[in-house]
PDB file of all heavy atoms in Angstrom:
ATOM      1  N   VAL A  30       1.905  15.466   0.764  1.00 98.00           N
ATOM      2  CA  VAL A  30       1.064  16.666   0.676  1.00 98.00           C
ATOM      3  C   VAL A  30       1.822  17.804   1.436  1.00 98.00           C
ATOM      4  O   VAL A  30       2.142  17.552   2.628  1.00 98.00           O
ATOM      5  CB  VAL A  30      -0.339  16.399   1.336  1.00 98.00           C
ATOM      6  CG1 VAL A  30      -1.191  17.731   1.295  1.00 98.00           C
ATOM      7  CG2 VAL A  30      -1.067  15.304   0.543  1.00 98.00           C
ATOM      8  N   LEU A  31       2.040  18.947   0.853  1.00 98.00           N
ATOM      9  CA  LEU A  31       2.686  20.023   1.524  1.00 98.00           C
ATOM     10  C   LEU A  31       1.620  21.092   1.862  1.00 98.00           C
ATOM     11  O   LEU A  31       0.855  21.469   0.943  1.00 98.00           O
ATOM     12  CB  LEU A  31       3.659  20.693   0.529  1.00 98.00           C
ATOM     13  CG  LEU A  31       5.160  20.454   0.642  1.00 98.00           C
ATOM     14  CD1 LEU A  31       5.845  21.271  -0.481  1.00 98.00           C
ATOM     15  CD2 LEU A  31       5.734  20.884   2.014  1.00 98.00           C
ATOM     16  N   ILE A  32       1.619  21.545   3.055  1.00 98.00           N
ATOM     17  CA  ILE A  32       0.556  22.583   3.454  1.00 98.00           C
ATOM     18  C   ILE A  32       1.268  23.758   4.112  1.00 98.00           C
ATOM     19  O   ILE A  32       2.176  23.598   4.905  1.00 98.00           O
ATOM     20  CB  ILE A  32      -0.438  21.935   4.447  1.00 98.00           C
ATOM     21  CG1 ILE A  32      -1.139  20.740   3.819  1.00 98.00           C
ATOM     22  CG2 ILE A  32      -1.474  22.996   4.864  1.00 98.00           C
ATOM     23  CD1 ILE A  32      -2.226  20.107   4.756  1.00 98.00           C
ATOM     24  N   ASP A  33       0.857  24.952   3.687  1.00 98.00           N
ATOM     25  CA  ASP A  33       1.381  26.173   4.280  1.00 98.00           C
ATOM     26  C   ASP A  33       0.286  27.197   4.333  1.00 98.00           C
ATOM     27  O   ASP A  33      -0.780  27.021   3.695  1.00 98.00           O
ATOM     28  CB  ASP A  33       2.586  26.667   3.391  1.00 98.00           C
ATOM     29  CG  ASP A  33       3.545  27.551   4.258  1.00 98.00           C
ATOM     30  OD1 ASP A  33       3.220  28.734   4.533  1.00 98.00           O
ATOM     31  OD2 ASP A  33       4.684  27.115   4.577  1.00 98.00           O
ATOM     32  N   VAL A  34       0.514  28.323   5.068  1.00 97.00           N
ATOM     33  CA  VAL A  34      -0.463  29.419   5.125  1.00 97.00           C
ATOM     34  C   VAL A  34      -0.209  30.311   3.885  1.00 97.00           C
ATOM     35  O   VAL A  34      -1.133  31.191   3.574  1.00 97.00           O
ATOM     36  CB  VAL A  34      -0.303  30.258   6.397  1.00 97.00           C
ATOM     37  CG1 VAL A  34      -1.003  29.681   7.541  1.00 97.00           C
ATOM     38  CG2 VAL A  34       1.115  30.615   6.703  1.00 97.00           C
ATOM     39  N   ILE A  35       0.895  30.325   3.286  1.00 97.00           N
ATOM     40  CA  ILE A  35       1.121  31.250   2.226  1.00 97.00           C
ATOM     41  C   ILE A  35       0.558  30.772   0.910  1.00 97.00           C
ATOM     42  O   ILE A  35       0.803  29.612   0.535  1.00 97.00           O
ATOM     43  CB  ILE A  35       2.766  31.458   2.034  1.00 97.00           C
ATOM     44  CG1 ILE A  35       3.338  31.927   3.368  1.00 97.00           C
ATOM     45  CG2 ILE A  35       3.025  32.455   0.966  1.00 97.00           C
ATOM     46  CD1 ILE A  35       4.811  32.054   3.299  1.00 97.00           C
ATOM     47  N   GLU A  36      -0.130  31.675   0.253  1.00 97.00           N
ATOM     48  CA  GLU A  36      -0.782  31.423  -0.991  1.00 97.00           C
ATOM     49  C   GLU A  36       0.229  31.070  -2.087  1.00 97.00           C
ATOM     50  O   GLU A  36       1.194  31.745  -2.249  1.00 97.00           O
ATOM     51  CB  GLU A  36      -1.577  32.594  -1.436  1.00 97.00           C
ATOM     52  CG  GLU A  36      -2.512  32.433  -2.629  1.00 97.00           C
ATOM     53  CD  GLU A  36      -3.464  31.275  -2.427  1.00 97.00           C
ATOM     54  OE1 GLU A  36      -4.081  31.203  -1.381  1.00 97.00           O
ATOM     55  OE2 GLU A  36      -3.669  30.559  -3.449  1.00 97.00           O
ATOM     56  N   GLY A  37       0.064  29.940  -2.693  1.00 97.00           N
ATOM     57  CA  GLY A  37       0.918  29.588  -3.908  1.00 97.00           C
ATOM     58  C   GLY A  37       2.169  28.846  -3.611  1.00 97.00           C
ATOM     59  O   GLY A  37       2.574  27.965  -4.376  1.00 97.00           O
ATOM     60  N   VAL A  38       2.762  29.106  -2.502  1.00 98.00           N
ATOM     61  CA  VAL A  38       4.133  28.548  -2.169  1.00 98.00           C
ATOM     62  C   VAL A  38       4.147  26.980  -2.065  1.00 98.00           C
ATOM     63  O   VAL A  38       4.922  26.371  -2.725  1.00 98.00           O
ATOM     64  CB  VAL A  38       4.787  29.215  -1.001  1.00 98.00           C
ATOM     65  CG1 VAL A  38       5.979  28.406  -0.468  1.00 98.00           C
ATOM     66  CG2 VAL A  38       5.241  30.631  -1.348  1.00 98.00           C
ATOM     67  N   PRO A  39       3.197  26.488  -1.315  1.00 98.00           N
ATOM     68  CA  PRO A  39       3.284  24.952  -1.291  1.00 98.00           C
ATOM     69  C   PRO A  39       2.987  24.355  -2.591  1.00 98.00           C
ATOM     70  O   PRO A  39       3.592  23.383  -3.023  1.00 98.00           O
ATOM     71  CB  PRO A  39       2.142  24.644  -0.203  1.00 98.00           C
ATOM     72  CG  PRO A  39       1.436  25.819   0.062  1.00 98.00           C
ATOM     73  CD  PRO A  39       2.242  27.007  -0.390  1.00 98.00           C
ATOM     74  N   ALA A  40       2.030  24.962  -3.430  1.00 98.00           N
ATOM     75  CA  ALA A  40       1.659  24.334  -4.745  1.00 98.00           C
ATOM     76  C   ALA A  40       2.853  24.523  -5.634  1.00 98.00           C
ATOM     77  O   ALA A  40       3.161  23.578  -6.349  1.00 98.00           O
ATOM     78  CB  ALA A  40       0.472  25.113  -5.260  1.00 98.00           C
ATOM     79  N   GLY A  41       3.546  25.708  -5.620  1.00 98.00           N
ATOM     80  CA  GLY A  41       4.625  25.939  -6.459  1.00 98.00           C
ATOM     81  C   GLY A  41       5.844  24.951  -6.114  1.00 98.00           C
ATOM     82  O   GLY A  41       6.421  24.345  -7.031  1.00 98.00           O
ATOM     83  N   LYS A  42       6.085  24.767  -4.836  1.00 98.00           N
ATOM     84  CA  LYS A  42       7.205  23.868  -4.392  1.00 98.00           C
ATOM     85  C   LYS A  42       6.897  22.397  -4.787  1.00 98.00           C
ATOM     86  O   LYS A  42       7.728  21.678  -5.253  1.00 98.00           O
ATOM     87  CB  LYS A  42       7.537  24.070  -2.990  1.00 98.00           C
ATOM     88  CG  LYS A  42       8.131  25.378  -2.718  1.00 98.00           C
ATOM     89  CD  LYS A  42       8.840  25.428  -1.340  1.00 98.00           C
ATOM     90  CE  LYS A  42       9.426  26.830  -1.119  1.00 98.00           C
ATOM     91  NZ  LYS A  42      10.133  26.992   0.207  1.00 98.00           N
ATOM     92  N   ALA A  43       5.690  22.011  -4.587  1.00 98.00           N
ATOM     93  CA  ALA A  43       5.243  20.695  -4.870  1.00 98.00           C
ATOM     94  C   ALA A  43       5.334  20.382  -6.362  1.00 98.00           C
ATOM     95  O   ALA A  43       5.863  19.327  -6.827  1.00 98.00           O
ATOM     96  CB  ALA A  43       3.853  20.379  -4.411  1.00 98.00           C
ATOM     97  N   LEU A  44       4.922  21.349  -7.206  1.00 98.00           N
ATOM     98  CA  LEU A  44       4.982  21.216  -8.598  1.00 98.00           C
ATOM     99  C   LEU A  44       6.465  21.135  -9.113  1.00 98.00           C
ATOM    100  O   LEU A  44       6.849  20.248  -9.888  1.00 98.00           O
ATOM    101  CB  LEU A  44       4.255  22.315  -9.314  1.00 98.00           C
ATOM    102  CG  LEU A  44       4.180  22.323 -10.848  1.00 98.00           C
ATOM    103  CD1 LEU A  44       3.386  21.078 -11.326  1.00 98.00           C
ATOM    104  CD2 LEU A  44       3.474  23.583 -11.360  1.00 98.00           C
TER     105      LEU A  44
END
Side-chain angles (χ1 to χ4, degrees):
V30 177
L31 256 180
I32 302 183
D33 202 287
V34 281
I35 303 178
E36 186 57 42
V38 166
K42 290 194 180 181
L44 182 60

